[in-house]
Amino acid sequence: LAVLMSGLISLHPTFPSLATWEARRGRTDAGSRSDMTDVLEAKLTKRGRFRGDRKWTISQSGTCGRGVFATCDIASGELVFADLPILHGPKQSCDLVACTSCSDITRPLRKCSRNCHLPFCSERCENDESHNKECCYLRSLNLTEEEWSPHIFRALTLIRSLLMTDDDREVVKHLHANRGKQVDIQVSSLLSLLGNKLTETDVSWVRHCSGVLDGTAFEIELEDSANSLKGLFPLSALMNHNCVPNTRHFYTDRADGYRMVVVASRFIPRGEQIFTSYCPLLWGTSLRRTFLLHTKHFQCECERCQDASEFGTNLQAVKCSCEKIMLPEDPTNFNSEWKCEDCGGLRSAKHNIMVQKSLQNPNELDKFLPEGNYIRIQMKIDEVFKKTKRMHLEDITEEELRNISHDCIMILKLIVQLKLGNTRFKGRLCERLSKVYREMNRKGVHMDSQVEHDAVTGARVYNLPK
Ligand SMILES: [Zn+2]
Ligand SMILES: [Zn+2]
Ligand SMILES: [Zn+2]
Ligand SMILES: [Zn+2]
C-alpha cells in the first residue's frame, strides 16, 4: 500500500501543456516517415535476429506514429517474435551494483584485474568475451579511479552505446528519442565521468541513445534475482502501448542473449496492430495515464481509457457521500469532475487526489474506496500472493483457503472483464489458485456450491500461459 500511495503522490500531476509533451516526444522530427520505416524494416529483417516465421510488418498507425502489425492470424499463446537486445546493461538509476558479466548480486565483487574499473564476481566472468571491447575502451581512457567504480558501472549501458557496430547504429538512428530532464541527467552524469574524453559526435550520439532508452527500453527481469537490466529491443521498441495489449512477453537467460519473447495473449487477426503495455494493467485509468504522461510523455486515448467504467469494472471508482460510486465525467481529462452515478453529486479531481493522499491505513480505505477499486484489489492480490507463497499450505485454515480461492476467482473475473487475455500475471495467479485447490482437496474440504461454481468458472478462464 505504501508503495502504491507513494506512487500516487510522486505522480501527482503538474501537467505540462500539450505543446510541451509533443516536443518531448520529438514529434517535430524531420524526415519522411515512410522512408524511415522502409529502411528500418529492411535493416531489422537483414539482421536476422528474429526467431520463427515472420508474422509482422512495420507500418504507420493512425494515431501514434509507427507501429508493428500482424501479417497473418496469430493464435493466443503463439510466438509473435523474439527480439535480441541491440544494447543492454545496468539501469542507470539502480542502487544495486552487480557483476558486470553475470549480473549476480550475492557474491562479493572485485575490480577487473586489467583495471577497467568495472566490478566482477569471478575470474571467469572477468574473462568473458562480452567484456573485451568495453574493457579495452575503458582502459584506453586512462581513468584515475583506484578501485572498481559504481559510477562507471551505472554508466555502462551508455558507454556500450559508444561501442555499437555501424550496422546497429544505423538501426538505433531510426528509433524515436525522448527529450527532457531525465535524458539531461543521464547524459550529464556520463559527461562528469568521461567528459573530456568524448568528442562532440560521441556526446550527441550518447544523447540520442539516452533518449531512445528513456522512451523505449524494457526492463529485463532476471530469473531468481532481485536485479534487472535495461534492454533496448529494436523491434519491440516500435510496439505501441495499449491499456488492453494483445501480447505478453518474457526474457530468455543470459546464455540465449536475453532475448525478449513476445507471445499473443489472445487471438490477433491479420492486419491488427500488435500492442504491449508500458504500465501495470490492473491500475485505474487516472494512475495509468498519469504514469504514461510522466514516463513516456504521451496521453493514452485507447478504448479502455475512454470508458469511464473500464468495461464495467469501475476499477477507479471512489465512494460518494451517499455510498454509491463516483467516476470521472471525462476519463481522458485529468481535470475532469467526478460524478456520482446515483445522486449526481460532483467532486473535483484535485479533491479526490487529496483524499487519496491523506489515507493512512487500510481501514480508512474502506470508507473512501468501494471494494472493486484498484487500490483495494491490489491489496487483495498482495495478500493472496503472500499467503500462498510457501510450498505447502497445511497451516492455512479451511475458512481461509476458501476466502483465498474466492479472491483469486474475483481477480480472474476482473482480468476477463478487462479483456486482458492470458497475461503473465493471470498465469501466476492461476498457479496459486491451483495450489489452493490442491490443498483444499487434500484436507477434504467440503466445497460449497459457491466454491464449486467458482472452480468451474476458474477452469474456463484457466488457459494457463507459460
Ligand atoms: Zn559474475
Ligand atoms: Zn575489464
Ligand atoms: Zn489507455
Ligand atoms: Zn452520491
Side-chain angles (χ1 to χ4, degrees):
L1 179 67
V3 173
L4 208 60
M5 284 302 171
S6 69
L8 277 171
I9 291 163
S10 67
L11 287 170
H12 183 220
T14 42
F15 299 114
S17 71
L18 213 65
T20 320
W21 68 260
E22 290 253 318
R24 280 201 199 149
R25 284 219 86 194
R27 285 280 165 88
T28 49
D29 284 350
S32 154
R33 280 183 176 274
S34 60
D35 283 356
M36 274 169 35
T37 302
D38 290 346
V39 171
L40 193 54
E41 184 161 332
K43 288 266 173 209
L44 288 177
T45 315
K46 200 180 118 207
R47 293 167 88 246
R49 285 165 170 258
F50 308 103
R51 215 178 249 170
D53 301 333
R54 203 179 130 187
K55 299 165 193 164
W56 53 270
T57 186
I58 302 164
S59 193
Q60 294 299 308
S61 80
T63 48
C64 28
R66 281 172 307 204
V68 182
F69 289 79
T71 52
C72 59
D73 288 353
I74 304 173
S76 176
E78 200 180 311
L79 174 77
V80 182
F81 60 81
D83 195 3
L84 272 172
I86 206 164
L87 180 64
H88 74 275
K91 291 180 290 181
Q92 209 162 5
S93 56
C94 189
D95 291 333
L96 294 169
V97 178
C99 170
T100 304
S101 286
C102 72
S103 301
D104 182 88
I105 47 170
T106 58
R107 290 185 282 271
L109 297 169
R110 54 191 177 80
K111 68 170 180 176
C112 169
S113 60
R114 282 169 290 176
N115 217 11
C116 69
H117 310 293
L118 283 168
F120 289 90
C121 75
S122 64
E123 201 181 320
R124 201 176 132 198
C125 277
E126 184 185 312
N127 292 324
D128 197 272
E129 207 192 307
S130 64
H131 173 56
N132 264 337
K133 213 167 159 186
E134 67 210 16
C135 191
C136 290
Y137 175 74
L138 283 168
R139 279 181 287 140
S140 77
L141 299 177
N142 291 316
L143 300 170
T144 51
E145 311 276 337
E146 279 297 312
E147 257 303 311
W148 59 265
S149 155
H151 308 291
I152 295 177
F153 176 76
R154 286 190 196 106
L156 183 58
T157 309
L158 282 184
I159 291 170
R160 283 177 179 165
S161 78
L162 289 164
L163 305 172
M164 286 168 99
T165 63
D166 287 347
D167 236 25
D168 282 354
R169 278 183 183 236
E170 201 52 44
V171 173
V172 176
K173 252 184 218 166
H174 287 93
L175 296 178
H176 163 79
N178 274 353
R179 293 162 211 171
K181 210 167 74 191
Q182 206 47 40
V183 176
D184 293 341
I185 293 170
Q186 310 235 323
V187 173
S188 57
S189 68
L190 181 72
L191 289 184
S192 69
L193 281 174
L194 315 177
N196 53 356
K197 321 270 182 184
L198 299 180
T199 67
E200 230 168 87
T201 323
D202 286 343
V203 175
S204 69
W205 175 249
V206 162
R207 182 172 293 279
H208 175 76
C209 288
S210 178
V212 173
L213 284 166
D214 184 59
T216 51
F218 285 84
E219 192 167 329
I220 305 173
E221 302 140 33
L222 303 172
E223 217 165 305
D224 305 325
S225 171
N227 193 13
S228 64
L229 299 171
K230 200 165 206 185
L232 175 58
F233 298 86
L235 182 55
S236 303
L238 297 170
M239 274 193 294
N240 284 310
H241 164 88
N242 194 297
C243 299
V244 188
N246 48 18
T247 63
R248 64 174 187 269
H249 60 262
F250 61 91
Y251 302 90
T252 61
D253 59 11
R254 179 171 166 237
D256 194 48
Y258 299 121
R259 211 175 283 263
M260 178 170 171
V261 180
V262 178
V263 171
S265 55
R266 61 165 172 78
F267 171 69
I268 305 175
R270 179 178 166 207
E272 191 173 288
Q273 187 167 177
I274 294 164
F275 287 111
T276 187
S277 171
Y278 304 152
C279 66
L281 296 171
L282 294 183
W283 281 2
T285 297
S286 42
L287 183 57
R288 285 197 320 279
R289 296 189 81 249
T290 308
F291 176 82
L292 292 169
L293 183 65
H294 280 249
T295 60
K296 304 290 175 183
H297 314 304
F298 73 96
Q299 297 212 43
C300 188
E301 306 277 344
C302 76
E303 190 193 352
R304 179 175 166 192
C305 283
Q306 290 189 29
D307 175 3
S309 80
E310 298 179 60
F311 309 132
T313 59
N314 296 326
L315 200 59
Q316 66 170 345
V318 297
K319 273 187 192 166
C320 175
S321 46
C322 80
E323 288 291 305
K324 290 288 193 297
I325 62 163
M326 301 184 102
L327 286 168
E329 287 199 289
D330 175 4
T332 57
N333 176 357
F334 290 108
N335 299 313
S336 165
E337 285 200 290
W338 289 50
K339 191 175 179 182
C340 174
E341 58 171 17
D342 200 56
C343 74
L346 291 171
R347 198 183 282 166
S348 74
K350 228 186 205 158
H351 180 83
N352 260 340
I353 291 169
M354 262 163 47
V355 177
Q356 289 197 25
K357 275 164 88 177
S358 71
L359 297 172
Q360 296 298 333
N361 64 60
N363 297 336
E364 282 180 53
L365 287 183
D366 303 3
K367 261 192 284 174
F368 185 67
L369 306 175
E371 206 180 349
N373 177 284
Y374 69 95
I375 294 177
R376 291 185 63 180
I377 300 271
Q378 191 56 54
M379 290 169 68
K380 278 217 167 94
I381 292 170
D382 292 348
E383 278 291 303
V384 165
F385 278 85
K386 206 171 91 193
K387 283 180 181 158
T388 56
K389 196 174 166 191
R390 292 169 50 195
M391 184 87 95
H392 301 290
L393 307 178
E394 290 111 340
D395 302 345
I396 304 182
T397 64
E398 295 182 7
E399 172 79 22
E400 218 171 339
L401 284 170
R402 219 176 252 137
N403 288 340
I404 296 172
S405 74
H406 286 169
D407 283 348
C408 285
I409 292 291
M410 187 270 292
I411 300 160
L412 285 170
K413 281 179 179 164
L414 177 68
I415 293 171
V416 171
Q417 205 176 346
L418 287 169
K419 309 178 192 178
L420 295 178
N422 293 317
T423 64
R424 282 182 66 204
F425 171 74
K426 182 177 160 190
R428 285 199 293 267
L429 191 64
C430 285
E431 260 166 21
R432 297 299 173 97
L433 178 60
S434 68
K435 216 174 176 184
V436 170
Y437 280 154
R438 271 202 306 275
E439 181 61 20
M440 285 169 89
N441 240 330
R442 202 189 62 83
K443 281 198 165 90
V445 175
H446 168 69
M447 298 239 192
D448 60 31
S449 59
Q450 181 60 38
V451 173
E452 268 187 320
H453 169 79
D454 288 348
V456 173
T457 325
R460 205 166 53 227
V461 295
Y462 205 114
N463 189 355
L464 190 67
K466 272 196 208 85

